[in-house]
Amino acid sequence: MEKKKIRTEQRYYAGKSTGRIFFVAVFMAIQVWILTSAITGLLGYYTYFDAAMKAAAVVMALRISGRHTNAANKIPWIIVILVFPIFGIVLYLLTTGSLTLVPKRRHFHAYESELPELLPQDRNAYHDLRCTEDRVFTQARYLFNNAYYPVYQNTKAVYFPEAEEGRRAQIRALRSAKKFIFMEYFSVEDKECFAEIKEILYAKAEEGVDVRLMYDDVGSAKFLSFRFVKEMESHGIKCQDFNPISAFFDIFMNNRDHRKITVIDGKIAFTGGYNLANEYFGMEHPEPYGHWKDTGVMLEGDAAHSFTIMFLEMWNAIRREDWSEDLADRTNLLTEGVKKEEKKRSTSGISS
Protein backbone atom coordinates (compact mmCIF):
# COMPACT_ATOMS: atom_id res chain seq x y z
CA MET A 1 0.00 0.00 0.00
CA GLU A 2 2.83 2.41 0.90
CA LYS A 3 4.66 1.74 -2.39
CA LYS A 4 1.48 2.34 -4.36
CA LYS A 5 1.00 5.67 -2.54
CA ILE A 6 4.58 6.75 -3.34
CA ARG A 7 4.11 5.93 -7.05
CA THR A 8 0.89 7.99 -7.09
CA GLU A 9 2.69 10.95 -5.48
CA GLN A 10 5.49 10.68 -8.04
CA ARG A 11 3.04 10.92 -10.95
CA TYR A 12 1.30 13.85 -9.26
CA TYR A 13 4.52 15.83 -8.80
CA ALA A 14 5.69 15.19 -12.36
CA GLY A 15 2.43 16.52 -13.80
CA LYS A 16 2.19 19.57 -11.56
CA SER A 17 5.82 20.75 -11.97
CA THR A 18 5.41 21.21 -15.73
CA GLY A 19 2.41 23.48 -15.22
CA ARG A 20 4.29 25.61 -12.71
CA ILE A 21 7.21 26.16 -15.11
CA PHE A 22 4.81 27.12 -17.90
CA PHE A 23 3.01 29.60 -15.63
CA VAL A 24 6.29 31.30 -14.64
CA ALA A 25 7.51 31.39 -18.26
CA VAL A 26 4.31 33.14 -19.41
CA PHE A 27 4.53 35.79 -16.70
CA MET A 28 8.22 36.40 -17.42
CA ALA A 29 7.43 36.82 -21.13
CA ILE A 30 4.77 39.41 -20.29
CA GLN A 31 7.24 41.36 -18.17
CA VAL A 32 9.87 41.29 -20.93
CA TRP A 33 7.23 42.62 -23.37
CA ILE A 34 6.33 45.46 -20.99
CA LEU A 35 10.01 46.37 -20.51
CA THR A 36 10.66 46.29 -24.27
CA SER A 37 7.62 48.48 -24.92
CA ALA A 38 8.76 51.00 -22.32
CA ILE A 39 12.23 51.28 -23.85
CA THR A 40 10.74 51.63 -27.35
CA GLY A 41 8.52 54.44 -26.08
CA LEU A 42 11.52 56.30 -24.69
CA LEU A 43 13.14 56.34 -28.13
CA GLY A 44 10.69 59.12 -29.05
CA TYR A 45 12.60 61.27 -26.59
CA TYR A 46 15.99 60.04 -27.80
CA THR A 47 17.86 63.33 -27.35
CA TYR A 48 16.90 63.69 -23.71
CA PHE A 49 17.19 59.96 -23.02
CA ASP A 50 20.67 59.81 -24.58
CA ALA A 51 21.88 62.78 -22.53
CA ALA A 52 20.49 61.27 -19.33
CA MET A 53 22.16 57.91 -19.98
CA LYS A 54 25.52 59.54 -20.71
CA ALA A 55 25.32 61.51 -17.47
CA ALA A 56 24.39 58.35 -15.60
CA ALA A 57 27.33 56.53 -17.22
CA VAL A 58 29.76 59.19 -15.98
CA VAL A 59 28.32 59.01 -12.46
CA MET A 60 28.48 55.21 -12.49
CA ALA A 61 32.07 55.22 -13.77
CA LEU A 62 33.15 57.64 -11.02
CA ARG A 63 31.43 55.49 -8.42
CA ILE A 64 33.18 52.35 -9.65
CA SER A 65 36.58 54.05 -9.78
CA GLY A 66 36.22 55.13 -6.16
CA ARG A 67 35.68 51.62 -4.89
CA HIS A 68 38.43 49.82 -2.98
CA THR A 69 38.76 46.92 -5.40
CA ASN A 70 41.35 45.65 -7.85
CA ALA A 71 41.91 48.04 -10.80
CA ALA A 72 41.83 45.05 -13.17
CA ASN A 73 38.18 44.58 -12.20
CA LYS A 74 37.22 48.26 -12.34
CA ILE A 75 38.77 49.40 -15.64
CA PRO A 76 36.85 47.00 -17.96
CA TRP A 77 33.55 48.04 -16.37
CA ILE A 78 34.37 51.74 -16.71
CA ILE A 79 35.28 51.34 -20.40
CA VAL A 80 32.12 49.37 -21.25
CA ILE A 81 29.85 51.79 -19.37
CA LEU A 82 31.36 54.91 -20.97
CA VAL A 83 31.40 53.49 -24.52
CA PHE A 84 28.01 51.76 -24.36
CA PRO A 85 26.08 53.58 -21.61
CA ILE A 86 22.76 51.74 -21.79
CA PHE A 87 24.22 48.27 -22.29
CA GLY A 88 27.03 48.83 -19.76
CA ILE A 89 24.83 50.19 -16.97
CA VAL A 90 22.19 47.50 -17.38
CA LEU A 91 24.81 44.72 -17.48
CA TYR A 92 26.57 46.09 -14.41
CA LEU A 93 23.35 46.31 -12.41
CA LEU A 94 22.35 42.81 -13.47
CA THR A 95 25.63 41.23 -12.39
CA THR A 96 27.43 43.10 -9.63
CA GLY A 97 25.62 46.26 -8.66
CA SER A 98 21.98 45.23 -8.56
CA LEU A 99 20.00 47.05 -5.90
CA THR A 100 17.96 43.89 -5.35
CA LEU A 101 21.11 41.97 -4.44
CA VAL A 102 22.62 44.48 -1.99
CA PRO A 103 20.25 43.84 0.96
CA LYS A 104 20.34 40.09 0.39
CA ARG A 105 24.13 40.06 0.29
CA ARG A 106 24.23 41.99 3.55
CA HIS A 107 21.88 39.46 5.09
CA PHE A 108 24.13 36.54 4.11
CA HIS A 109 27.28 38.40 5.18
CA ALA A 110 25.77 38.87 8.64
CA TYR A 111 25.85 35.09 9.07
CA GLU A 112 29.31 34.78 7.50
CA SER A 113 30.74 37.23 10.05
CA GLU A 114 30.07 34.64 12.77
CA LEU A 115 32.05 31.86 11.07
CA PRO A 116 35.46 32.61 12.67
CA GLU A 117 33.96 32.01 16.11
CA LEU A 118 31.98 28.96 15.02
CA LEU A 119 34.82 27.27 13.11
CA PRO A 120 37.96 27.67 15.26
CA GLN A 121 41.16 26.22 13.87
CA ASP A 122 42.83 23.41 15.77
CA ARG A 123 46.37 24.86 15.83
CA ASN A 124 47.93 21.44 16.29
CA ALA A 125 46.37 20.14 13.06
CA TYR A 126 47.32 23.37 11.31
CA HIS A 127 50.93 23.13 12.50
CA ASP A 128 51.26 19.44 11.54
CA LEU A 129 50.06 20.17 8.01
CA ARG A 130 52.48 23.08 7.72
CA CYS A 131 55.40 20.84 8.64
CA THR A 132 54.49 17.87 6.44
CA GLU A 133 52.65 19.18 3.36
CA ASP A 134 53.80 22.69 2.52
CA ARG A 135 51.93 23.01 -0.80
CA VAL A 136 48.68 21.70 0.69
CA PHE A 137 49.20 23.98 3.69
CA THR A 138 49.27 27.04 1.40
CA GLN A 139 45.83 26.12 0.04
CA ALA A 140 44.51 25.35 3.54
CA ARG A 141 45.74 28.70 4.82
CA TYR A 142 43.97 30.49 1.97
CA LEU A 143 40.71 28.64 2.68
CA PHE A 144 40.86 29.44 6.38
CA ASN A 145 41.80 33.11 5.98
CA ASN A 146 39.20 33.80 3.27
CA ALA A 147 36.38 31.34 3.91
CA TYR A 148 37.01 30.43 7.58
CA TYR A 149 37.10 26.68 6.98
CA PRO A 150 39.76 24.99 9.13
CA VAL A 151 41.99 21.95 8.80
CA TYR A 152 40.81 18.86 10.67
CA GLN A 153 42.37 15.69 12.00
CA ASN A 154 40.60 12.60 13.38
CA THR A 155 38.55 12.15 10.21
CA LYS A 156 38.04 9.03 8.09
CA ALA A 157 37.48 9.69 4.38
CA VAL A 158 35.87 7.14 2.05
CA TYR A 159 35.79 7.72 -1.71
CA PHE A 160 32.98 6.32 -3.87
CA PRO A 161 33.93 6.01 -7.57
CA GLU A 162 30.26 5.52 -8.50
CA ALA A 163 27.31 7.61 -7.33
CA GLU A 164 25.21 4.54 -6.52
CA GLU A 165 27.87 3.34 -4.07
CA GLY A 166 27.68 6.67 -2.29
CA ARG A 167 23.87 6.54 -2.20
CA ARG A 168 23.84 3.04 -0.68
CA ALA A 169 26.37 4.09 1.98
CA GLN A 170 24.28 7.18 2.62
CA ILE A 171 21.17 5.07 3.16
CA ARG A 172 23.00 2.87 5.67
CA ALA A 173 24.23 5.93 7.57
CA LEU A 174 20.79 7.54 7.59
CA ARG A 175 19.37 4.49 9.35
CA SER A 176 21.83 5.07 12.22
CA ALA A 177 20.81 8.70 12.85
CA LYS A 178 19.96 9.51 16.47
CA LYS A 179 19.87 13.32 16.71
CA PHE A 180 19.59 15.06 13.36
CA ILE A 181 19.72 14.65 9.58
CA PHE A 182 20.49 17.67 7.38
CA MET A 183 20.23 17.30 3.59
CA GLU A 184 20.91 20.01 0.98
CA TYR A 185 20.82 19.32 -2.77
CA PHE A 186 20.50 21.14 -6.07
CA SER A 187 18.11 18.52 -7.48
CA VAL A 188 15.74 16.16 -5.68
CA GLU A 189 13.58 13.86 -7.77
CA ASP A 190 10.72 12.05 -6.07
CA LYS A 191 11.27 8.77 -7.87
CA GLU A 192 13.12 5.49 -7.27
CA CYS A 193 16.38 7.12 -6.16
CA PHE A 194 14.64 9.07 -3.40
CA ALA A 195 11.90 6.58 -2.41
CA GLU A 196 13.97 4.56 0.06
CA ILE A 197 15.62 7.68 1.49
CA LYS A 198 12.22 9.29 1.96
CA GLU A 199 10.90 6.29 3.87
CA ILE A 200 13.90 6.48 6.21
CA LEU A 201 13.38 10.22 6.72
CA TYR A 202 9.72 9.61 7.57
CA ALA A 203 10.66 6.94 10.12
CA LYS A 204 13.43 9.03 11.69
CA ALA A 205 11.19 12.09 12.02
CA GLU A 206 8.62 9.89 13.75
CA GLU A 207 11.35 8.75 16.18
CA GLY A 208 12.03 12.38 17.11
CA VAL A 209 15.14 12.93 14.98
CA ASP A 210 15.46 16.51 13.67
CA VAL A 211 15.16 15.98 9.90
CA ARG A 212 15.66 18.90 7.49
CA LEU A 213 15.71 18.89 3.70
CA MET A 214 16.66 21.83 1.47
CA TYR A 215 16.69 21.79 -2.32
CA ASP A 216 17.20 24.34 -5.08
CA ASP A 217 13.87 25.28 -6.62
CA VAL A 218 15.31 25.70 -10.14
CA GLY A 219 17.28 22.46 -9.98
CA SER A 220 14.22 20.54 -8.81
CA ALA A 221 11.55 22.46 -10.76
CA LYS A 222 10.95 19.69 -13.31
CA PHE A 223 10.86 17.03 -10.58
CA LEU A 224 8.76 18.50 -7.75
CA SER A 225 5.66 20.63 -7.31
CA PHE A 226 4.91 23.26 -4.68
CA ARG A 227 3.02 20.54 -2.79
CA PHE A 228 6.26 18.67 -2.02
CA VAL A 229 7.19 20.93 0.92
CA LYS A 230 3.77 20.46 2.53
CA GLU A 231 3.95 16.71 2.01
CA MET A 232 7.34 16.51 3.73
CA GLU A 233 6.26 18.70 6.63
CA SER A 234 3.13 16.61 7.12
CA HIS A 235 5.51 13.78 8.10
CA GLY A 236 7.47 15.94 10.55
CA ILE A 237 10.28 16.87 8.15
CA LYS A 238 11.35 20.51 7.95
CA CYS A 239 11.58 21.28 4.24
CA GLN A 240 12.80 24.41 2.46
CA ASP A 241 13.13 25.27 -1.22
CA PHE A 242 16.11 27.55 -1.88
CA ASN A 243 15.31 30.81 -3.67
CA PRO A 244 11.87 29.75 -4.97
CA ILE A 245 11.02 30.45 -8.60
CA SER A 246 9.06 33.68 -8.87
CA ALA A 247 6.80 34.86 -11.66
CA PHE A 248 8.18 38.37 -11.14
CA PHE A 249 11.55 39.42 -12.51
CA ASP A 250 14.24 39.32 -9.83
CA ILE A 251 18.01 39.34 -10.44
CA PHE A 252 18.48 37.14 -7.37
CA MET A 253 16.92 34.29 -9.34
CA ASN A 254 20.36 33.76 -10.90
CA ASN A 255 21.75 32.74 -7.50
CA ARG A 256 21.38 28.98 -7.13
CA ASP A 257 22.41 26.44 -4.51
CA HIS A 258 24.51 23.70 -6.12
CA ARG A 259 25.61 22.05 -2.89
CA LYS A 260 25.20 18.32 -2.38
CA ILE A 261 25.39 17.69 1.37
CA THR A 262 24.08 15.19 3.89
CA VAL A 263 25.07 15.52 7.56
CA ILE A 264 24.15 12.93 10.18
CA ASP A 265 24.44 13.75 13.89
CA GLY A 266 27.37 16.07 13.13
CA LYS A 267 29.60 13.00 12.89
CA ILE A 268 29.13 11.77 9.31
CA ALA A 269 28.94 13.91 6.18
CA PHE A 270 28.40 13.01 2.53
CA THR A 271 29.23 15.22 -0.43
CA GLY A 272 30.24 14.83 -4.06
CA GLY A 273 28.92 15.47 -7.54
CA TYR A 274 25.64 13.56 -7.50
CA ASN A 275 22.18 14.91 -6.77
CA LEU A 276 19.20 12.84 -5.64
CA ALA A 277 17.82 12.34 -9.14
CA ASN A 278 17.42 9.12 -11.10
CA GLU A 279 19.80 10.08 -13.91
CA TYR A 280 22.77 10.11 -11.49
CA PHE A 281 22.24 6.46 -10.54
CA GLY A 282 21.46 4.85 -13.88
CA MET A 283 17.74 4.65 -13.10
CA GLU A 284 16.50 6.39 -16.25
CA HIS A 285 15.06 4.04 -18.89
CA PRO A 286 16.34 4.70 -21.46
CA GLU A 287 19.11 6.90 -20.13
CA PRO A 288 19.08 10.06 -22.27
CA TYR A 289 22.84 10.72 -22.05
CA GLY A 290 24.22 7.24 -21.55
CA HIS A 291 25.53 6.07 -18.17
CA TRP A 292 26.02 9.00 -15.79
CA LYS A 293 29.46 8.88 -14.16
CA ASP A 294 29.72 10.72 -10.86
CA THR A 295 31.52 10.29 -7.56
CA GLY A 296 31.06 10.93 -3.84
CA VAL A 297 32.90 11.16 -0.53
CA MET A 298 31.98 10.22 3.02
CA LEU A 299 33.72 12.00 5.91
CA GLU A 300 33.39 10.50 9.37
CA GLY A 301 34.85 12.47 12.27
CA ASP A 302 35.72 16.08 13.12
CA ALA A 303 35.47 17.41 9.54
CA ALA A 304 31.70 16.79 9.57
CA HIS A 305 31.50 19.88 11.81
CA SER A 306 32.15 22.21 8.85
CA PHE A 307 29.30 20.62 6.90
CA THR A 308 26.98 21.10 9.88
CA ILE A 309 27.84 24.80 10.01
CA MET A 310 27.52 25.19 6.21
CA PHE A 311 24.03 23.72 6.25
CA LEU A 312 22.83 25.73 9.26
CA GLU A 313 24.22 28.95 7.81
CA MET A 314 22.31 28.51 4.55
CA TRP A 315 19.17 27.15 6.22
CA ASN A 316 18.80 30.03 8.66
CA ALA A 317 19.82 32.70 6.14
CA ILE A 318 17.06 31.57 3.77
CA ARG A 319 14.43 31.19 6.49
CA ARG A 320 15.67 34.34 8.27
CA GLU A 321 15.71 32.58 11.61
CA ASP A 322 17.89 33.02 14.66
CA TRP A 323 20.37 30.16 14.54
CA SER A 324 21.71 30.55 18.10
CA GLU A 325 19.57 27.68 19.39
CA ASP A 326 20.63 25.47 16.47
CA LEU A 327 24.27 26.18 17.13
CA ALA A 328 23.93 25.54 20.84
CA ASP A 329 22.35 22.14 20.15
CA ARG A 330 24.47 21.02 17.21
CA THR A 331 27.96 22.48 17.39
CA ASN A 332 28.99 23.60 20.86
CA LEU A 333 30.44 20.26 21.95
CA LEU A 334 32.96 20.10 19.12
CA THR A 335 33.67 23.84 19.21
CA GLU A 336 34.38 23.80 22.94
CA GLY A 337 36.47 20.65 22.55
CA VAL A 338 38.72 22.36 19.99
CA LYS A 339 39.10 25.42 22.23
CA LYS A 340 40.09 23.29 25.22
CA GLU A 341 42.70 21.48 23.15
CA GLU A 342 44.11 24.80 21.98
CA LYS A 343 44.63 25.95 25.55
CA LYS A 344 46.80 22.92 26.22
CA ARG A 345 49.13 23.62 23.33
CA SER A 346 51.82 26.22 23.01
CA THR A 347 52.26 26.14 19.25
CA SER A 348 52.70 29.40 17.36
CA GLY A 349 49.69 31.38 16.13
CA ILE A 350 48.26 31.22 12.63
CA SER A 351 49.96 33.69 10.29
CA SER A 352 48.62 35.01 7.05
Side-chain angles (χ1 to χ4, degrees):
M1 180 65 70
E2 184 64 28
K3 290 183 178 179
K4 182 178 180 181
K5 180 181 178 182
I6 290 175
R7 286 196 295 269
T8 302
E9 290 172 350
Q10 290 169 358
R11 289 196 297 271
Y12 175 82
Y13 292 137
K16 287 294 185 180
S17 60
T18 304
R20 184 165 67 115
I21 294 172
F22 176 77
F23 174 79
V24 171
V26 169
F27 267 74
M28 291 293 287
I30 293 173
Q31 292 170 76
V32 170
W33 175 77
I34 293 173
L35 180 61
T36 303
S37 299
I39 294 175
T40 303
L42 288 173
L43 293 179
Y45 304 91
Y46 177 77
T47 302
Y48 304 104
F49 183 67
D50 183 59
M53 290 307 300
K54 287 180 178 178
V58 172
V59 172
M60 184 71 74
L62 291 174
R63 182 181 176 184
I64 295 173
S65 66
R67 290 189 169 180
H68 297 289
T69 57
N70 193 315
N73 295 328
K74 294 190 291 187
I75 293 175
W77 277 118
I78 292 173
I79 293 174
V80 171
I81 289 172
L82 291 178
V83 176
F84 308 102
I86 299 177
F87 172 77
I89 291 175
V90 171
L91 184 63
Y92 181 77
L93 291 177
L94 289 178
T95 55
T96 60
S98 172
L99 296 178
T100 61
L101 287 180
V102 170
K104 292 177 181 177
R105 282 175 176 166
R106 288 176 179 170
H107 180 68
F108 277 88
H109 290 165
Y111 284 90
E112 290 178 357
S113 64
E114 301 181 41
L115 291 181
E117 179 67 22
L118 299 172
L119 292 167
Q121 174 62 68
D122 182 343
R123 296 178 184 272
N124 191 53
Y126 194 84
H127 178 73
D128 289 348
L129 182 63
R130 186 175 191 174
C131 294
T132 57
E133 298 285 347
D134 187 62
R135 292 182 63 183
V136 177
F137 166 76
T138 302
Q139 299 176 41
R141 181 177 61 185
Y142 175 83
L143 288 174
F144 182 76
N145 290 340
N146 292 276
Y148 310 115
Y149 288 107
V151 175
Y152 290 102
Q153 293 178 322
N154 307 317
T155 301
K156 175 185 176 182
V158 179
Y159 170 72
F160 303 110
E162 291 286 345
E164 178 60 17
E165 293 180 31
R167 192 179 73 93
R168 299 312 307 176
Q170 198 167 324
I171 288 173
R172 291 192 294 270
L174 287 170
R175 290 198 175 101
S176 68
K178 302 298 182 183
K179 297 180 180 179
F180 65 85
I181 297 172
F182 296 157
M183 303 183 75
E184 179 180 354
Y185 286 87
F186 178 69
S187 296
V188 175
E189 184 174 15
D190 197 18
K191 285 189 176 181
E192 293 85 357
C193 67
F194 188 61
E196 189 173 358
I197 291 176
K198 186 166 70 170
E199 289 181 4
I200 296 172
L201 297 184
Y202 287 171
K204 289 299 176 180
E206 191 173 340
E207 292 173 9
V209 175
D210 182 7
V211 182
R212 306 187 194 186
L213 172 64
M214 180 162 51
Y215 62 88
D216 188 275
D217 201 35
V218 169
S220 303
K222 67 179 180 179
F223 302 133
L224 306 175
S225 81
F226 60 90
R227 292 282 301 276
F228 180 77
V229 172
K230 292 182 180 179
E231 195 265 333
M232 290 288 104
E233 292 184 342
S234 69
H235 287 83
I237 297 169
K238 298 176 184 177
C239 191
Q240 177 67 49
D241 48 348
F242 176 87
N243 197 8
I245 298 173
S246 172
F248 297 97
F249 187 72
D250 184 357
I251 304 305
F252 193 61
M253 281 295 104
N254 191 45
N255 288 264
R256 310 315 320 169
D257 182 2
H258 284 271
R259 289 176 174 174
K260 293 92 175 174
I261 294 174
T262 291
V263 189
I264 302 167
D265 295 339
K267 299 177 181 178
I268 302 174
F270 289 84
T271 189
Y274 62 86
N275 286 289
L276 299 181
N278 274 6
E279 60 189 4
Y280 290 85
F281 309 104
M283 297 180 180
E284 287 293 329
H285 305 289
E287 296 175 352
Y289 309 111
H291 178 70
W292 191 292
K293 169 66 175 176
D294 227 318
T295 60
V297 177
M298 179 183 74
L299 299 173
E300 186 174 2
D302 292 352
H305 181 60
S306 281
F307 287 90
T308 306
I309 293 293
M310 280 191 285
F311 177 90
L312 289 175
E313 179 191 13
M314 185 67 77
W315 176 270
N316 290 283
I318 292 299
R319 294 171 71 100
R320 294 181 179 269
E321 295 177 349
D322 180 7
W323 67 341
S324 57
E325 184 177 347
D326 267 342
L327 296 172
D329 292 342
R330 314 300 177 201
T331 67
N332 276 359
L333 289 177
L334 180 56
T335 303
E336 291 302 318
V338 172
K339 289 181 178 178
K340 288 179 181 179
E341 287 298 318
E342 290 222 331
K343 291 180 180 179
K344 298 178 183 179
R345 300 179 181 120
S346 58
T347 55
S348 60
I350 299 174
S351 60
S352 57

